[in-house]
Amino acid sequence: MHKRLSRGFTIVEIATVVFIIALLALITVVTYNNVQRQARDTSKEQAVKIIMTSLERYYDAHGEYPTGNQLNPNKDLNKLTNLTATVQYLPNLTTDNLSTDAYNFYAYCDNTDCNGASWLNYRRYQIIYSSRWDASGSGSYVNVGSLQSSGGSNCLVTEYYDDPAYTLQWYNEDTGIWKFIRSKHGRAEIANNVSAPTPPQTCTFTSI
């Protein structure tokens, strides 16, 4: 009768198993992160649709869009905390529409009170609202949505005091591109910011 020989695993076999386990773990993490990123993009886009509908209802009732100061009376630069004040101006909107784990709504104040708020590339988890109104009475226009530092897309949005519009901007994590959408009424234009230091993306208003 032959004796059954037994032996342990070799170092090569152990290393192979460890490598396969690590590779599967990496694939799982990457897949999970991609799914989470796409879920955040979907959540932001759904919120944009709801916010836009509410803004147009406000326009239908008042003949104009709300200013950043109305929606953001505390002039919160980094994160809009007074969501109740925003909701009271926008019909059929709730605080849940403005803030989730995926994003936070942010409204510009007027362009003097919120100086520096245009660095949108630091606001990739926010939906940015801006609407021009002639606070100074000078009849000037204001540039909003300019991403002028590293990591930005260098898109420059111009809104005009004499034909007020609003724009919404949000970052699509899956494509790495900022999306810009404009109101149904008013005048707003978008172009490459040629003075910015980084290569521009395609600067266009999109639709959802």
Side-chain angles (χ1 to χ4, degrees), residues 6-24:
S6 62
R7 63 182 179 86
F9 293 108
T10 67
I11 292 180
V12 173
E13 290 172 331
I14 294 174
T16 301
V17 171
V18 170
F19 173 78
I20 292 173
I21 293 173
L23 182 61
L24 292 174

Side-chain angles (χ1 to χ4, degrees), residues 2-207:
H2 297 288
K3 289 185 178 181
R4 187 172 183 178
L5 298 177
S6 62
R7 63 182 179 86
F9 293 108
T10 67
I11 292 180
V12 173
E13 290 172 331
I14 294 174
T16 301
V17 171
V18 170
F19 173 78
I20 292 173
I21 293 173
L23 182 61
L24 292 174
L26 178 62
I27 292 172
T28 301
V29 170
V30 170
T31 302
Y32 176 79
N33 288 340
N34 287 340
V35 170
Q36 292 294 99
R37 185 170 61 247
Q38 291 168 2
R40 287 192 296 268
D41 286 338
T42 299
S43 179
K44 279 184 283 188
E45 198 152 296
Q46 289 174 343
V48 167
K49 292 178 182 178
I50 295 171
I51 292 168
M52 285 184 65
T53 299
S54 188
L55 286 164
E56 295 302 336
R57 285 176 177 167
Y58 182 97
Y59 185 95
D60 291 341
H62 301 278
E64 62 182 3
Y65 296 109
T67 67
N69 278 343
Q70 288 173 298
L71 301 184
N72 189 5
N74 291 348
K75 301 178 174 59
D76 304 314
L77 285 176
N78 294 314
K79 183 174 182 179
L80 182 61
T81 55
N82 193 351
L83 299 176
T84 303
T86 303
V87 168
Q88 74 178 358
Y89 281 99
L90 299 182
N92 300 96
L93 204 64
T94 69
T95 55
D96 289 338
N97 301 136
L98 301 174
S99 182
T100 74
D101 292 336
Y103 62 85
N104 180 75
F105 181 76
Y106 171 75
Y108 276 107
C109 310
D110 66 64
N111 61 310
T112 54
D113 286 338
C114 288
N115 185 32
S118 62
W119 303 107
L120 300 188
N121 50 305
Y122 296 114
R123 303 178 184 279
R124 295 188 176 189
Y125 296 99
Q126 291 178 288
I127 297 172
I128 315 297
Y129 170 83
S130 59
S131 182
R132 174 57 178 161
W133 62 299
D134 190 23
S136 64
S138 64
S140 61
Y141 63 83
V142 61
N143 292 324
V144 299
S146 176
L147 292 86
Q148 299 181 42
S149 61
S150 61
S153 67
N154 305 324
C155 296
L156 188 67
V157 177
T158 302
E159 298 172 1
Y160 294 84
Y161 88 98
D162 54 350
D163 194 6
Y166 76 77
T167 58
L168 290 174
Q169 300 108 43
W170 74 100
Y171 185 71
N172 186 285
E173 295 181 61
D174 196 43
T175 62
I177 292 176
W178 279 87
K179 289 190 174 183
F180 298 82
I181 198 162
R182 53 152 296 158
S183 55
K184 180 179 177 181
H185 305 280
R187 180 186 175 198
E189 299 173 358
I190 188 170
N192 289 340
N193 181 10
V194 294
S195 63
T198 54
Q201 70 175 47
T202 302
C203 298
T204 58
F205 284 122
T206 187
S207 60

